């Protein structure tokens, strides 16, 4: 059965009578009779949905920085305008002069440039990221992405492609077969099967341009493997432990040794027999994404700390993959609630965590994190809905680029706030200390608004993404 939606294990897991089966498990071949022992509300899937709702509900509502001060500033400006009008009148100033000064003050002190300082950079960054395959769901999320200082990565479907691939072809000495002949023989027998491992073997043969002979008398035994007649030879492909059955002949001993070697390397071993004799072993594993190692390095540079690998897969497979991408903090064998706990531990230590995942089992952690990003192609509906951003084309390398772009947007926001503040302060002082002509006040106010708007729109350029991608992968 495939339980990747719950545990993240990329390869099917053998189940026998009496074993517990997760709700949400997918059956491969054959018929299963399953006894329901818990209420639907107590199933793993139901608990995951509940955790997502709780995590989303307990997350503090976030606002853009400027929204937190804009209302108070506006109220203060109105009060100050009334004072600029009333105080001179109280001391005998002319009504017309006081009114004109107050109107000029209200115009030059209004927060238009301050408000516009924030949205153009963030919206431009969102549009640029969207053009390059990253859908950021709001300006608040774009601002938050630049704040992250820790990263938690899922394994299957995130760092890896989530699809089994043949990694090793090991014909046994004395079998008389080459690697290509072994693969062609196994693929011919596996061709009628719908099992994920069978698909991996057939895909590898096709990728190598091998011609597959027709299979006759095909039979499939769930949990054991397949058998067929290929070119007059009885071929069996399946689990080594079931096919070898403790045989002690020379070829069986060699097959067992190769099987152990592959499994120690984190691969799933598939034995190939011809006419009842072992002829070779295939190694199958989930393939690492081509940009995974570079992405881990870039995220380490951006956050100052290595990412954490959080996966439901077994510790051996997780450790092997982590070593390939230089991740040292590995948390394996985790259920969805364990992933949430790992994220909360980081947040309690004062870190702002970015979680990247794809499965149903990642959704609670995506909801609990400071920011969550889901893989678009492989991602489950629940993960896509829960995440704050989606990588549409599953290009992992875009993550450090969009984080870098967010930080660039935040720096432009600061630039714009400085520009707006300088204009407002200068015009207000001029109006209060001397006499600021109303047309000049309008020109200064509108001019500052245009300047900060154009400054923020610079992030729409292709060069902005190129720069962010370069900075994110230094």
């Amino acid at each position: 059965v495939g339980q990747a939606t719950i545990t993240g294990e990329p390869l099917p897991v053998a189940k026998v009578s009496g074993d517990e089966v997760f709700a949400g498990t997918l059956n491969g071949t054959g018929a299963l009779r399953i006894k329901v022992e818990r209420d639907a509300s107590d199933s793993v899937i139901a608990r995951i949905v509940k955790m997502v709702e709780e995590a989303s509900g307990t997350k503090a509502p976030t606002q853009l920085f400027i929204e937190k001060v804009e209302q108070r500033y506006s109220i203060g400006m109105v009060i100050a305008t009334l004072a600029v009008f009333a105080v001179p009148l109280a001391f005998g100033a002319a009504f017309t002069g006081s009114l004109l000064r107050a109107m000029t003050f209200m115009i030059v002190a209004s927060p238009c440039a301050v408000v516009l300082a924030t949205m153009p950079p963030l919206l431009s960054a969102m549009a640029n990221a969207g053009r390059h395959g990253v859908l950021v769901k709001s300006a608040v999320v774009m601002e938050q992405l630049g704040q992250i200082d820790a990263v938690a990565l899922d394994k299957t479907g995130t760092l890896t492609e989530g699809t089994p691939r043949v990694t090793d072809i090991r014909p046994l000495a004395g079998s008389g077969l080459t690697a290509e002949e072994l693969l062609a023989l196994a693929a011919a027998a596996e061709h009628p099967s719908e099992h994920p491992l069978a698909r991996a073997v057939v895909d590898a043969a096709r990728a190598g341009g091998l011609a597959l002979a027709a299979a006759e008398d095909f039979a499939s035994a769930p949990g054991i493997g397949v058998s067929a007649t290929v070119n007059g030879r009885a071929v069996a492909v399946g689990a080594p432990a079931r096919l070898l059955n403790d045989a002690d002949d020379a070829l069986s001993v060699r097959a067992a040794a190769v099987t152990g070697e592959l499994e120690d390397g984190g691969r799933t071993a598939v034995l190939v027999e011809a006419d009842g004799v072992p002829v070779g072993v295939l190694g199958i594993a989930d393939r690492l994404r081509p940009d995974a190692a570079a992405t881990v390095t870039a995220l380490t540079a951006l956050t100052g700390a290595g990412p954490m690998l959080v996966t439901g897969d077994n510790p051996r497979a997780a450790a092997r993959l982590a070593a390939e991408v230089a991740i040292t903090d590995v948390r394996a064998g985790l259920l969805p609630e364990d992933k949430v706990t790992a994220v909360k531990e980081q947040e309690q230590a004062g870190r702002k965590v970015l979680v990247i995942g794809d499965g149903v089992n990642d959704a609670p952690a995506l909801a609990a994190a400071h920011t969550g990003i889901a893989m678009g192609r492989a991602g489950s509906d629940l993960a896509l809905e829960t995440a704050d951003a989606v990588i549409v084309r599953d290009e992992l390398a875009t993550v450090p680029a969009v984080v870098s772009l967010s930080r660039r947007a935040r720096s432009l926001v600061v630039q714009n706030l400085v520009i707006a503040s300088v204009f407002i302060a200068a015009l207000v002082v001029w109006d209060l200390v001397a006499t600021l002509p109303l047309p000049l006040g309008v020109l200064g106010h509108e001019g500052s608004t245009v300047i900060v708007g154009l400054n923020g729109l610079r992030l729409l350029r292709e060069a902005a993404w190129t720069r962010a991608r370069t900075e994110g992968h230094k």
Side-chain angles (χ1 to χ4, degrees), residues 169-171 175-184 279:
I169 305 171
R170 306 283 289 275
S175 66
L177 296 178
T178 65
E180 288 187 349
E181 290 170 342
L182 174 65
L183 180 59
V279 292

Side-chain angles (χ1 to χ4, degrees), residues 4 60 63 119 262 272 304:
Q63 290 179 286
M119 292 309 293
L262 292 175
V272 182

Side-chain angles (χ1 to χ4, degrees), residues 127-213:
N128 205 338
R131 285 204 307 264
H132 293 88
V134 183
L135 174 63
V136 180
K137 294 185 179 180
S138 71
V140 172
V141 174
M142 179 55 75
E143 185 183 47
Q144 289 178 322
L145 279 167
Q147 300 170 355
I148 62 109
D149 56 10
V151 179
L153 288 157
D154 174 48
K155 173 184 168 287
T156 305
T158 302
L159 279 177
T160 68
E161 295 177 349
T163 304
R165 305 282 184 180
V166 174
T167 57
D168 300 84
I169 305 171
R170 306 283 289 275
L172 299 178
S175 66
L177 296 178
T178 65
E180 288 187 349
E181 290 170 342
L182 174 65
L183 180 59
L185 190 67
E190 292 274 30
H191 187 266
S193 175
E194 297 178 352
H195 195 281
L197 297 185
R199 295 296 89 207
V201 174
V202 173
D203 289 345
R206 285 176 174 166
L210 303 180
L212 302 186

Side-chain angles (χ1 to χ4, degrees), residues 154-305:
D154 174 48
K155 173 184 168 287
T156 305
T158 302
L159 279 177
T160 68
E161 295 177 349
T163 304
R165 305 282 184 180
V166 174
T167 57
D168 300 84
I169 305 171
R170 306 283 289 275
L172 299 178
S175 66
L177 296 178
T178 65
E180 288 187 349
E181 290 170 342
L182 174 65
L183 180 59
L185 190 67
E190 292 274 30
H191 187 266
S193 175
E194 297 178 352
H195 195 281
L197 297 185
R199 295 296 89 207
V201 174
V202 173
D203 289 345
R206 285 176 174 166
L210 303 180
L212 302 186
E216 300 174 352
D217 303 323
F218 174 82
S220 175
I224 298 176
V226 303
S227 61
T229 301
V230 179
N231 291 332
R233 305 181 73 182
V235 179
V237 184
R242 303 292 180 89
L243 294 179
L244 290 175
N245 200 22
D246 297 326
D248 57 0
D249 59 280
L251 281 174
S252 296
V253 171
R254 288 176 198 162
V258 173
T259 296
E261 181 184 335
L262 292 175
E263 291 179 344
D264 288 341
R267 294 160 176 78
T268 297
V270 175
L271 180 68
V272 182
E273 286 187 348
D275 297 323
V277 178
V279 292
V281 183
L282 304 179
I284 299 178
D286 192 6
R287 188 165 63 182
L288 195 68
R289 291 189 186 275
D291 51 1
T295 299
V296 169
T297 302
L299 290 172
T300 301
L302 283 171
T303 61

